[in-house]
């Protein structure tokens, strides 16, 4: 089984990605378990930030690395919070403050204009200097609700409504979320090239 460092310090994201990656023949080690701190995310795209995180983790751990960067884009807000999704209400605030800010900024906006999507970019590096990283991207369309619903998930999950279920991500449960989310879609796109890359470097 190949050991791979997962470059995230987000407990919710770590749990979700470990669950989705189960069965890929990987021993997934969190960067926090190796004492690796998260770098400053100053890229100008989701891919740039994912690459930055993966190269940092791979360099310190001396292992292949998987990293993702994802965010929420709300049409009525011109695509915000986007790259600033995790720190929308400020650097040292929690997801509750982020949700409060999003609801406040969308006050008075009707349901038909509350379209949104989660975007995710995932990268795999064979080593820190890998000149040919494997990259996958995906988007998950939905809309923002008027109030929090559900207790599962993390981040904006209680506000993001999945149209085909008419439920928020927080109401869906992990089994469904991990099958259809933006992160699951991106990892599915990554699966075949990742398998080939690991086979080639075995």
């Amino acid at each position: 089984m190949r050991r791979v460092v997962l470059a995230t310090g987000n407990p919710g994201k770590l749990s979700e990605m470990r669950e989705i990656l189960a069965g890929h023949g990987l021993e997934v080690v969190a960067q926090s378990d190796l004492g690796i701190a998260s770098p400053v995310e100053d890229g100008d795209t989701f891919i740039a930030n994912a690459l930055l995180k993966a190269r940092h983790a791979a360099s310190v751990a001396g292992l292949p690395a998987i990293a993702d960067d994802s965010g929420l884009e709300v049409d009525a807000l011109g695509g915000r919070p986007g790259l600033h999704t995790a720190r929308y209400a400020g650097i040292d605030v929690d997801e509750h403050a982020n949700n409060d800010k999003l609801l406040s900024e969308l006050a008075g906006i009707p349901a038909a204009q509350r379209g949104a999507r989660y975007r995710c970019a995932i990268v795999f590096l064979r080593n820190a200097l890998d000149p040919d990283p494997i990259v996958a991207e995906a988007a998950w369309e939905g809309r923002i609700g008027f109030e929090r619903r559900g207790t599962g998930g993390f981040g904006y999950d209680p506000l993001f409504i999945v149209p085909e279920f008419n439920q928020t991500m927080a109401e869906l449960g992990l089994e469904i979320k991990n099958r259809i989310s933006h992160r699951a879609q991106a990892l599915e796109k990554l699966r075949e090239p990742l398998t080939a890359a690991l086979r080639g470097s075995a």
Side-chain angles (χ1 to χ4, degrees), residues 20-164:
I20 295 170
L21 285 167
H24 282 67
L26 301 174
E27 179 191 351
V28 179
V29 183
Q31 65 176 15
S32 56
D33 291 343
L34 302 176
I36 302 172
S38 297
V40 175
E41 297 177 31
D42 55 5
D44 57 1
T45 65
F46 292 124
I47 291 177
N49 277 334
L51 281 168
L52 187 155
K53 291 186 279 190
R55 290 201 189 281
H56 174 73
S59 175
V60 177
L63 293 169
I66 293 176
D68 95 306
D69 197 48
S70 54
L72 178 68
E73 299 175 343
V74 180
D75 295 336
L77 301 179
R80 289 186 289 115
L83 289 171
H84 304 290
T85 292
R87 50 192 182 278
Y88 193 37
I91 296 175
D92 296 317
V93 299
D94 61 15
E95 58 193 33
H96 302 292
N98 287 334
N99 282 320
D100 287 342
K101 179 174 181 178
L102 183 60
L103 285 173
S104 175
E105 292 200 334
L106 289 175
I109 303 296
Q113 296 174 26
R114 297 170 80 96
R117 73 206 47 79
Y118 270 110
R119 288 200 185 277
C120 178
I122 294 184
V123 303
F124 170 77
L125 298 178
R126 299 160 188 84
N127 56 68
L129 300 177
D130 189 346
D132 188 26
I134 298 172
V135 178
E137 295 180 273
W140 194 18
E141 298 288 334
R143 68 179 188 275
I144 303 302
F146 291 91
E147 61 185 5
R148 294 172 175 84
R149 284 170 25 197
T151 58
F154 62 96
Y156 299 86
D157 288 3
L159 295 179
F160 188 84
I161 297 173
V162 183
E164 55 264 45

